[in-house]
């Protein structure tokens, strides 16, 4: 069962940003993208960036710039981190949204786990993506502070503030809120907000 065009438009109007049960992801994300075409430099935020491949895909889609290549990024990860852990569950290929006119993009990638953040730094620097994206090693919750966070092996994506099934060693990380990030970066609007915090409540203070 797929969403109808009216359902897709309704989903897009509610700005769910990937938090939908609609199986035709490309269709409704394309609808979101069309609504943002007049934005000169869209803001793309990924909370729980993990390895960063989905974030690179968002940068490509919302900038319409082939400079951002998921294939090259994944090749960098495998080259720099040969023991990289694959996904805990198989990802459904998203494909690529229709390319429009190239534009700049303001990307913010938030990943608290030290081993994954090291991968992000290495490959974003090597591929030149740091000119277009800000990397933040911090956890996101409903209130700021510090908290223990599991530090799994490179590539693990199913750990969080409330989840440590692999019994990974804990490290103390800084914790912030989405409101604080928005204020500190002087963000006027968010075009794509992707949240993967393993069920941890992190948007209860998102009021701006």
């Amino acid at each position: 069962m797929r969403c109808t065009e009216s359902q897709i438009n309704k989903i897009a109007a509610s700005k769910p940003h990937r938090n939908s049960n609609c199986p035709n992801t490309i269709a409704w994300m394309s609808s979101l993208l069309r609504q943002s075409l007049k934005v000169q430099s869209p803001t793309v935020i990924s909370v729980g960036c993990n390895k960063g491949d989905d974030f690179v895909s968002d940068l490509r889609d919302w900038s319409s710039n082939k400079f951002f290549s998921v294939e090259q990024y994944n090749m960098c990860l495998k080259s720099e981190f040969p023991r990289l852990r694959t996904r805990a569950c198989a990802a459904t290929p998203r494909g690529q949204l229709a390319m429009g006119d190239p534009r700049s993009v303001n990307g913010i990638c938030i990943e608290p786990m030290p081993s994954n953040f090291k991968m992000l730094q290495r490959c974003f620097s090597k591929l030149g993506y740091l000119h277009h994206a800000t990397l933040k090693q911090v956890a996101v919750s409903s209130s700021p502070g510090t908290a223990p966070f599991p530090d799994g092996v490179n590539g693990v994506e199913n750990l969080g503030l409330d989840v440590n099934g692999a019994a990974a060693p804990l490290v103390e990380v800084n914790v912030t809120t989405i409101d604080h990030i928005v204020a500190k970066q002087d963000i006027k609007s968010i075009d794509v907000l992707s949240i993967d915090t393993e069920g941890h409540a992190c948007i209860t203070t998102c009021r701006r």
Side-chain angles (χ1 to χ4, degrees):
M1 179 179 178
R2 292 186 180 276
C3 296
T4 65
E5 183 65 22
S6 62
Q7 288 174 322
I8 291 171
N9 290 333
K10 185 177 181 180
I11 291 170
S14 66
K15 302 184 183 302
H17 300 300
R18 296 191 184 184
N19 191 25
S20 167
N21 292 321
C22 176
N24 192 353
T25 308
I26 285 292
W28 73 263
M29 286 191 70
S30 294
S31 181
L32 281 176
L33 180 58
R34 287 194 298 272
Q35 293 186 40
S36 77
L37 289 179
K38 293 181 180 180
V39 180
Q40 187 173 2
S41 182
T43 294
V44 176
I45 300 178
S46 175
V47 178
C49 212
N50 295 316
K51 295 195 301 288
D53 49 347
D54 286 336
F55 180 63
V56 172
S57 184
D58 285 338
L59 293 178
R60 176 201 62 194
D61 290 337
W62 258 259
S63 67
S64 293
N65 191 337
K66 294 181 180 179
F67 169 71
F68 301 107
S69 168
V70 178
E71 292 75 18
Q72 288 184 9
Y73 183 76
N74 283 330
M75 286 176 60
C76 176
L77 290 179
K78 292 177 182 178
S79 172
E80 296 289 328
F81 302 91
R83 295 185 179 181
L84 177 70
R85 180 72 61 87
T86 56
R87 291 180 185 270
C89 53
T92 303
R94 186 176 100 187
Q96 181 171 324
L97 304 185
M99 302 290 278
D101 295 328
R103 56 182 173 174
S104 63
V105 63
N106 175 32
I108 301 174
C109 170
I110 302 163
E111 174 55 44
M113 196 168 83
S115 56
N116 279 350
F117 190 78
K118 181 180 179 181
M119 294 194 306
L120 292 165
Q121 284 183 309
R122 182 83 58 84
C123 287
F124 267 68
S125 176
K126 187 173 182 178
L127 297 174
Y129 295 168
L130 289 179
H131 298 294
H132 309 271
T134 300
L135 305 181
K136 292 183 174 293
Q137 187 180 356
V138 63
V140 174
S141 188
S142 57
S143 59
T146 61
F149 197 95
D151 188 18
V153 298
N154 294 123
V156 167
E157 299 182 323
N158 57 351
L159 302 178
L161 287 171
D162 304 323
V163 181
N164 189 14
L170 298 175
V171 294
E172 199 76 7
V173 300
N174 290 324
V175 179
T176 189
T177 66
I178 293 178
D179 273 344
H180 181 75
I181 293 169
V182 168
K184 191 169 184 179
Q185 300 291 131
D186 194 27
I187 296 171
K188 305 303 181 186
S189 64
I190 301 173
D191 297 275
V192 179
L193 175 60
S194 173
I195 299 176
D196 183 1
T197 55
E198 300 300 322
H200 181 78
C202 68
I203 59 173
T204 56
T205 61
C206 190
R207 299 188 180 95
R208 289 176 60 89

